[in-house]
Amino acid sequence: MRLLIVDDSNMIRSRISRVVQQGGIADLSLVGMARNGAEAVRIARASQPDVVTMDLTMPEMDGVECIEHLLRLNPKLNILVVSALSDKSTAIAALKKGARGFVGKPFSDDELKMALLDVMEAR
């Protein structure tokens, strides 16, 4: 499966990348990283990811709007929302739009791995 990481924080993008690449999640490879929703849509058209980690609060295009665009491109896309717990109501809106899981920031490596595996199995 191909993974696209979407977050406006370079630190969070790098952390998720490190967890996936060094954490040994079988069958998951990184195909792109985006700083906002608009960039994520462009990358998704080119790389056709199967799994996306999605921040909600970002410039240009936020996560909820991005989820709608990505699911129009691929309705079977597995989207894990990775957002601050203070965004809980927005996270619920994202789940209603079609995201399949949620992990709150800050997260541990194990929490992220478990959430990714759950979303990958939801297929």
Side-chain angles (χ1 to χ4, degrees):
M1 297 183 120
R2 296 181 299 260
L3 172 67
L4 171 63
I5 299 170
V6 185
D7 201 300
D8 63 342
S9 164
N10 183 46
M11 187 177 76
I12 295 294
R13 290 193 309 272
S14 296
R15 176 138 183 247
I16 294 171
S17 172
R18 180 185 51 78
V19 168
V20 169
Q21 293 182 331
Q22 296 176 359
I25 297 179
D27 300 327
L28 189 61
S29 60
L30 181 64
V31 295
M33 294 197 276
R35 294 170 291 182
N36 58 61
E39 189 175 50
V41 171
R42 286 192 299 271
I43 292 172
R45 283 192 178 112
S47 64
Q48 301 183 346
D50 305 294
V51 181
V52 174
T53 64
M54 178 67 67
D55 188 14
L56 294 178
T57 306
M58 298 180 289
E60 286 193 51
M61 181 191 296
D62 69 23
V64 173
E65 184 179 354
C66 184
I67 287 169
E68 293 176 21
H69 284 276
L70 293 179
L71 289 175
R72 267 189 243 129
L73 292 174
N74 178 4
K76 293 182 178 179
L77 189 60
N78 297 311
I79 299 174
L80 173 66
V81 172
V82 180
S83 186
L85 289 175
S86 59
D87 267 351
K88 200 168 186 176
S89 63
T90 310
I92 291 169
L95 293 169
K96 287 181 179 174
K97 294 286 183 184
R100 298 189 176 160
F102 174 86
V103 64
K105 293 177 186 173
F107 53 84
S108 71
D109 290 359
D110 286 341
E111 287 171 331
L112 179 64
K113 278 191 235 176
M114 292 302 294
L116 278 169
L117 290 170
D118 285 347
V119 166
M120 291 167 63
E121 288 177 4
R123 210 165 185 204

